[in-house]
Amino acid sequence: MEEAYPSMSRRQFLNFLTGATVASTVVAGLYPAGQFFLPRPETDEQGGILAKDIHGKLIPGSQILAAPAHSRALVAGLSGEPTYLTVTEQGELHPWGIVDNCTHLGCTFPWNGNANQFQCPCHGSLYDAEGRVLRGPAPLPLRLTHAKIEGDYIRLSPWTETDPRTGKTPWWV
Ligand code: FES
């Protein structure tokens, strides 16, 4: 032993081995906890996430953009809330995601492409293509998120700036 580790006494060497074993055990034990607390790669520091499908799988941006202009795609957005994404006239992703949560009593609603409206089936509220109220009882425009292509995927992040539809601070901030 002294030949292999000439600068260490036997006791020092055993202490070293014991310390290394303890350290590796602690690190191995902390790894799963660390994984839990560290943000997942698809979550950023601003609370943004990558859009997923109903099965929790990341949705490639190319899949959304393959749809015709003006089509809407429903994805799992911030906090898992269903969120509409829009393909623009130019075949790009519209920078707003529209949260599928009626501002009257929270029903989800379909997009009616023929009428160019979101139509809430619960009490008849109507919203235009950008989420403005056309007919109540919904009192407020639909919530927005930022939406952008990031690499192969779509990043949604909280909208905290001025609501471009009203020119005011968003009601949800
Ligand atoms: Fe949509 Fe009442 S919940 S109109």
Side-chain angles (χ1 to χ4, degrees):
M1 189 66 68
E2 284 75 13
E3 288 174 11
Y5 301 93
S7 62
M8 279 190 191
S9 69
R10 176 180 294 273
R11 179 173 296 278
Q12 284 174 322
F13 179 65
L14 288 174
N15 285 345
F16 170 77
L17 282 183
T18 304
T21 303
V22 169
S24 62
T25 303
V26 169
V27 169
L30 287 178
Y31 180 73
Q35 284 292 95
F36 181 79
F37 289 110
L38 284 173
R40 292 181 181 172
E42 65 261 32
T43 305
D44 66 23
E45 291 172 1
Q46 287 73 45
I49 54 110
L50 296 180
K52 295 181 178 175
D53 66 16
I54 194 171
H55 305 295
K57 292 176 116 178
L58 295 177
I59 299 179
S62 56
Q63 183 180 320
I64 301 296
L65 298 180
H70 306 298
S71 56
R72 301 294 191 283
L74 201 52
V75 302
L78 299 172
S79 304
E81 282 192 298
T83 302
Y84 283 101
L85 301 179
T86 305
V87 179
T88 67
E89 179 74 40
Q90 294 75 31
E92 297 170 346
L93 184 67
H94 194 288
W96 308 350
I98 294 180
V99 178
D100 182 7
N101 186 308
C102 182
T103 59
H104 180 221
L105 293 176
C107 285
T108 57
F109 45 80
W111 166 249
N112 183 328
N114 293 327
N116 210 31
Q117 294 173 347
F118 295 105
Q119 300 180 336
C120 185
C122 291
H123 311 98
S125 290
L126 302 176
Y127 301 89
D128 74 8
E130 296 186 327
R132 300 176 188 88
V133 176
L134 295 172
R135 186 178 79 192
L140 296 163
L142 296 168
R143 263 185 295 148
L144 300 180
T145 69
H146 290 284
K148 66 175 182 179
I149 298 289
E150 185 176 286
D152 293 334
Y153 299 106
I154 298 164
R155 182 164 295 282
L156 301 177
S157 52
W159 191 296
T160 57
E161 303 85 352
T162 300
D163 184 335
R165 302 164 301 185
T166 62
K168 297 178 181 168
T169 300
W171 62 262
W172 58 88
V173 171

